[in-house]
Amino acid sequence: MLKSPSSKYQRFDPVSLPNRRWPSQTISQAPIWCSVDLRDGNQALAVPMNVSQKLDMFDALVKCGFKEIEVGFPSASNTEFAFNRRLIEEKRIPDDVTIQCLVQAREDLIEKTVESLIGAKKVVIHMYNSTSPAQRKYVFGKSKEEIIAVAVKGAQMIKDRLHRLTAGGTQVTLQYSPESFSATEVEFAKEISEAVMDVWQPTPQHKMILNLPDTVEVCMPNVYADQIEWICTNLKNRESVIISLHTHNDRGTGTAATELGLLAGADRVEGTLFGNGERTGNLDIVQVAMNLYMHGIDPQLDFSDMSSLIHMYERTTGMTVAPRHPYSGELVFTAFSGSHQDAIKKGLSGYEQHKTIWDVPYLTIDPNDISREYREVIRVNSQSGKGGVAYLLESEFGIELPKDMQREFGPIANDIVDKLGREVSGTELKDMFWKEYIERDRPWSLADDSFHMETCGIHSFRCTGKVCHRPEVVFPGLPTEENKRMAEFVSVSLTDCSTVNLSWKPFTGQGNGPIAAFADALITDAGAPSFEVTTYREQSLSSGTEAAALAFIQIKTATGKLVWGAGVDTNIELASIKAVLSAVNRAG
Ligand code: KIV
Ligand code: ZN
């Protein structure tokens, strides 16, 4: 790169528009949309679509609600000509959909374009010629007057052939694009557009479309907006013209340019799905439409089935949608940071309660509205906080960890994920939880079928059963507790007792509740270290008579350490007893 880029590049001269109005406008309704996927998008593909791929895409665009679709450049390729004929002859175009064809201002090309459209119900014939100083100088070697003459001649040639379509009942709208408009002097763009208007004679009842392309983004989007407002203000017979925007994305601001162009008075927007198109692409129509949607404006386009639309797009174009592409990307509804996950979790549960206006932090829209699932919202990696871990357990398995327990399990899970060095799924997370809490049967384990609880007087319970005490398995090569957990997670079994000769010891205990009775049995009869139960919570895991109960217990050891345990059983009493044992075992 150059040390002083000004020796090679220069700033684009903005339009003088001291009283610009667009900054204080707002967008309150959807523009007229026109998809140019099958033309501008298609011509930018390494392998252009074949007829059947184009049909596939056409049907999908119709399904999304596009009423104007630029189907091709029929004079430039036989495939595009054949495609038009198939659409028309097989009556594939719904009555409320207009097909549009691009053509240069040349007689033979105009002739072929008209021929390709015979029999259609509603068409737009879109003529363009390039108008910028660089195009005039290098590409055409023509003066401004000569460039105007090309446009006027082309406009007349089209007008002269219209009867061939209208005679058969085709409704024709005419469109002119001064290509490279944004790099053209506005006065000249106005002059050439008005010259075309003089030929086509649009009226408020039968408007023409004036499309003002940002063929190559050469300036900031506010400058494009100034250009659009300047044209809207100064063009003669404005009420007979639909002003259309056609932005590309060379400076990465195609969406902004279109939105500001709408503020500046434009009525119509051309673009493609996911921004396919020459170089950095065309405007991504999905983005502008979804931006309206997130402001509560009906975009008049339906992207409810975003996933199918992406599959269609990838199948027909061979392109992919980037994971962070606004709205459509795979990672758009994924939060990696713990604080984001926490906020999303709270926001989602708040939204569940009021169900009115969407105000969930970090999620611009409800992923569900475009067929994205909540489970895509959060994945757990080593950066995820306790909130992300808890959210995944709750959303995927209905496990509602008590707050304090989230604080305990979050770092344990993160540690394992960190050592694995990758993201983990909800199922893996649940496995970790099960290994850490539910499957803890050392040093103390209970012979389930020996356990019995009975009441003995008011507020008094007595339990009997058998426990055995086995020391922890020691892995000499695994120095830390964390490594041991890792070993568990990668399936080194710590709990296989079948080969061990267990000696079961009977116990009896009494207390003012089942948990207190069991705690008494463990401490006073079986000889476990002293503890007291500080918190107890239970929940059911699934509905129906076979529903499993999940119990959470927090204990405080003699040294004041707070430790959580969890137990699962179809019998809620047994679930809580197992939770006590899990906490005692975890206390070590
Ligand atoms: O980008 C452009 O200028 C075009 C025109 C042909 C409308 O695609
Ligand atoms: Zn274009």
Side-chain angles (χ1 to χ4, degrees):
M1 283 176 62
L2 303 174
K3 281 256 173 300
S4 79
S6 62
S7 62
K8 187 167 179 179
Y9 302 102
Q10 62 183 3
R11 200 168 60 107
F12 187 84
D13 269 347
V15 189
S16 166
L17 196 67
N19 299 317
R20 60 179 65 77
R21 293 182 306 272
W22 64 261
S24 47
Q25 304 300 311
T26 49
I27 302 175
S28 55
Q29 63 179 45
I32 302 164
W33 303 107
C34 174
S35 150
V36 295
D37 290 86
L38 293 162
R39 194 278 299 173
D40 218 353
N42 188 44
Q43 77 187 40
L45 296 176
V47 182
M49 289 180 250
N50 59 32
V51 171
S52 90
Q53 287 167 325
K54 289 191 86 172
L55 289 172
D56 194 359
M57 167 137 342
F58 181 82
D59 290 344
L61 292 168
V62 168
K63 198 166 159 219
C64 288
F66 283 98
K67 301 297 178 205
E68 297 188 8
I69 302 175
E70 191 164 74
V71 287
F73 201 156
S75 60
S77 108
N78 289 336
T79 308
E80 312 242 315
F81 188 93
F83 177 61
N84 273 14
R85 295 317 308 156
R86 276 227 19 214
L87 282 180
I88 296 165
E89 282 159 23
E90 293 176 8
K91 302 196 183 327
R92 287 168 170 270
I93 311 165
D95 286 352
D96 61 348
V97 171
T98 302
I99 57 166
Q100 174 170 317
C101 285
L102 183 73
V103 65
Q104 281 164 326
R106 272 180 38 194
E107 189 161 19
D108 52 334
L109 305 183
I110 291 170
E111 189 67 41
K112 195 151 184 213
T113 305
V114 170
E115 205 182 313
S116 79
L117 290 172
I118 285 174
K121 268 220 163 66
K122 295 205 266 185
V123 303
V124 171
I125 299 180
H126 176 189
M127 183 192 81
Y128 76 100
N129 70 326
S130 222
T131 54
S132 69
Q135 294 265 6
R136 296 193 307 254
K137 183 162 111 194
Y138 298 120
V139 185
F140 302 107
K142 285 191 190 324
S143 66
K144 285 181 176 171
E145 292 69 31
E146 287 167 320
I147 292 286
I148 292 177
V150 170
V152 167
K153 197 163 161 219
Q156 189 61 51
M157 287 186 295
I158 290 174
K159 191 176 177 185
D160 292 345
R161 282 159 184 78
L162 284 186
H163 66 278
R164 292 187 56 201
L165 292 168
T166 51
T170 304
Q171 292 170 37
V172 187
T173 302
L174 299 175
Q175 173 167 332
Y176 173 62
S177 290
E179 199 214 322
S180 60
F181 161 79
S182 57
T184 302
E185 310 86 332
V186 275
E187 296 80 3
F188 180 58
K190 166 178 142 68
E191 192 182 343
I192 194 166
S193 302
E194 289 180 346
V196 170
M197 286 166 70
D198 285 343
V199 178
W200 286 347
Q201 295 287 314
T203 64
Q205 291 71 41
H206 193 203
K207 298 182 188 196
M208 66 168 268
I209 301 166
L210 178 60
N211 189 46
L212 301 173
D214 208 1
T215 305
V216 177
E217 274 200 311
V218 289
C219 50
M220 285 171 62
N222 61 307
V223 177
Y224 182 63
D226 279 355
Q227 292 168 328
I228 300 297
E229 184 169 316
W230 191 95
I231 291 284
C232 286
T233 311
N234 293 292
L235 189 78
K236 71 174 183 191
N237 206 2
R238 164 72 181 92
E239 61 291 348
S240 300
V241 175
I242 292 167
I243 297 288
S244 175
L245 307 173
H246 177 112
T247 63
H248 281 259
N249 201 33
D250 300 79
R251 293 167 54 98
T253 54
T255 297
T258 292
E259 291 183 336
L260 300 193
L262 287 173
L263 293 179
D267 313 293
R268 182 179 185 267
V269 166
E270 293 193 346
T272 59
L273 297 176
F274 314 118
N276 179 40
E278 292 282 3
R279 309 177 308 281
T280 51
N282 284 66
L283 164 82
D284 176 2
I285 278 194
V286 179
Q287 256 175 52
V288 180
M290 293 309 298
N291 284 352
L292 292 177
Y293 182 76
M294 78 154 291
H295 278 186
I297 299 165
D298 175 3
Q300 309 274 328
L301 287 176
D302 186 358
F303 298 118
S304 304
D305 198 355
M306 188 68 88
S307 303
S308 302
L309 196 66
I310 292 171
H311 288 144
M312 178 287 300
Y313 171 77
E314 298 191 339
R315 184 170 72 233
T316 53
T317 63
M319 303 291 290
T320 51
V321 174
R324 300 208 181 271
H325 202 92
Y327 300 105
S328 48
E330 193 205 326
L331 294 180
V332 172
F333 303 109
T334 303
F336 288 85
S337 116
S339 63
H340 290 207
Q341 291 170 357
D342 249 8
I344 288 170
K345 181 174 181 289
K346 287 172 186 148
L348 286 175
S349 72
Y351 177 75
E352 275 309 307
Q353 282 156 32
H354 62 69
K355 286 246 181 213
T356 53
I357 293 296
W358 182 260
D359 58 355
V360 176
Y362 300 108
L363 296 181
T364 52
I365 58 161
D366 183 346
N368 221 12
D369 291 355
I370 53 170
S371 73
R372 289 286 159 92
E373 289 172 16
Y374 285 129
R375 82 185 161 76
E376 289 184 3
V377 172
I378 293 178
R379 291 171 182 182
V380 167
N381 63 16
S382 59
Q383 306 307 306
S384 309
K386 58 185 174 4
V389 172
Y391 179 82
L392 216 55
L393 286 178
E394 187 176 340
S395 60
E396 293 205 9
F397 305 103
I399 299 172
E400 296 164 31
L401 296 189
K403 272 257 154 358
D404 270 359
M405 196 175 190
Q406 292 178 20
R407 271 179 218 119
E408 186 185 90
F409 180 58
I412 293 172
N414 278 357
D415 224 53
I416 298 172
V417 177
D418 195 25
K419 291 197 170 77
L420 286 172
R422 60 172 172 82
E423 291 173 350
V424 294
S425 65
T427 309
E428 288 176 301
L429 205 60
K430 185 184 167 207
D431 282 353
M432 289 177 207
F433 182 77
W434 244 240
K435 288 211 159 82
E436 180 64 36
Y437 294 93
I438 309 287
E439 293 165 5
R440 281 289 182 135
D441 63 354
R442 280 173 192 263
W444 297 95
S445 41
L446 175 76
D448 284 10
D449 43 9
S450 71
F451 185 74
H452 180 70
M453 178 77 66
E454 63 191 15
T455 47
C456 52
I458 305 170
H459 303 315
S460 185
F461 291 75
R462 199 166 73 94
C463 70
T464 54
K466 287 179 187 164
V467 282
C468 87
H469 183 262
R470 294 165 293 166
E472 279 286 359
V473 173
V474 178
F475 285 86
L478 297 172
T480 62
E481 179 68 16
E482 286 74 20
N483 278 353
K484 211 163 70 184
R485 285 199 194 100
M486 266 298 288
E488 285 183 30
F489 185 62
V490 294
S491 300
V492 177
S493 172
L494 294 179
T495 54
D496 182 5
C497 309
S498 57
T499 56
V500 183
N501 196 8
L502 300 176
S503 84
W504 295 100
K505 194 175 164 212
F507 64 77
T508 312
Q510 209 156 327
N512 57 4
I515 295 172
F518 181 62
D520 175 56
L522 265 186
I523 299 164
T524 55
D525 209 2
S530 172
F531 65 89
E532 62 180 277
V533 173
T534 43
T535 311
Y536 170 68
R537 267 233 348 241
E538 65 185 49
Q539 66 159 112
S540 62
L541 270 183
S542 49
S543 53
T545 44
E546 289 302 300
L550 176 56
F552 307 101
I553 295 266
Q554 190 193 50
I555 61 166
K556 189 174 180 183
T557 66
T559 58
K561 193 170 142 194
L562 293 170
V563 184
W564 281 93
V568 175
D569 203 281
T570 46
N571 174 332
I572 181 61
E573 207 162 70
L574 208 48
S576 60
I577 298 310
K578 288 178 176 178
V580 172
L581 218 51
S582 150
V584 171
N585 283 336
R586 292 190 65 253

